[in-house]
Amino acid sequence: MKLTHVLTSIVTTAALVVLTAPTASAATGYARCPDGRMCVFSDRDGTGVMATFVVGDWDLRDGVGPQGMNNNIESIWNRTSYSWDFWDYANGGGDWTVMGPNAKGNFINGWANTVTSLHMY
Ligand SMILES: [Ca+2]
Ligand SMILES: [Ca+2]
């Protein structure tokens, strides 16, 4: 149990360092992702352009919501407590995959740079 407490303390301290960084732009990679959001990234390992979602986006091609992410997502971090669906086509069409709460990582080959819609359920 003591070891568990030590590890928890280390994680908490690290989180505080991020939160007290001088500017938000100092955060890089996955650390940019706010709690309670689905974060998607244009490159692997949380790098590149980041877009965040509260409930999702039925069409990443249109002018509503984040721009430039259609067929351009290579990694994600689900910081919500819900599962999310990701689809190849707009409006929940085509092949789909599910990312559970706290899922974090790179899309495998075949899913990288294919997502056109995503939604929490
Ligand atoms: Ca959109
Ligand atoms: Ca697509």
Side-chain angles (χ1 to χ4, degrees):
M1 291 302 282
K2 282 203 169 182
L3 181 59
T4 303
H5 286 146
V6 168
L7 291 173
T8 301
S9 296
I10 291 169
V11 169
T12 302
T13 303
L16 286 174
V17 169
V18 171
L19 289 172
T20 56
T23 64
S25 61
T28 59
Y30 285 119
R32 295 174 290 171
C33 183
D35 190 21
R37 296 290 188 275
M38 167 61 77
C39 298
V40 301
F41 305 89
S42 64
D43 296 317
R44 294 170 63 81
D45 302 315
T47 61
V49 176
M50 179 180 77
T52 66
F53 300 91
V54 176
V55 294
D57 192 327
W58 288 117
D59 192 347
L60 292 174
R61 302 169 304 178
D62 64 18
V64 181
Q67 302 298 295
M69 299 308 287
N70 180 46
N71 296 332
N72 195 29
I73 298 172
E74 295 194 16
S75 56
I76 68 131
W77 188 10
N78 181 4
R79 296 198 69 190
T80 75
S81 52
Y82 299 91
S83 292
W84 288 61
D85 283 328
F86 289 78
W87 293 277
D88 185 10
Y89 302 153
N91 301 307
D95 290 339
W96 59 279
T97 188
V98 178
M99 294 292 154
N102 304 311
K104 182 180 185 181
N106 298 317
F107 275 133
I108 59 171
N109 287 341
W111 270 103
N113 301 315
T114 66
V115 171
T116 298
S117 61
L118 65 156
H119 218 267
M120 182 177 78
Y121 71 88

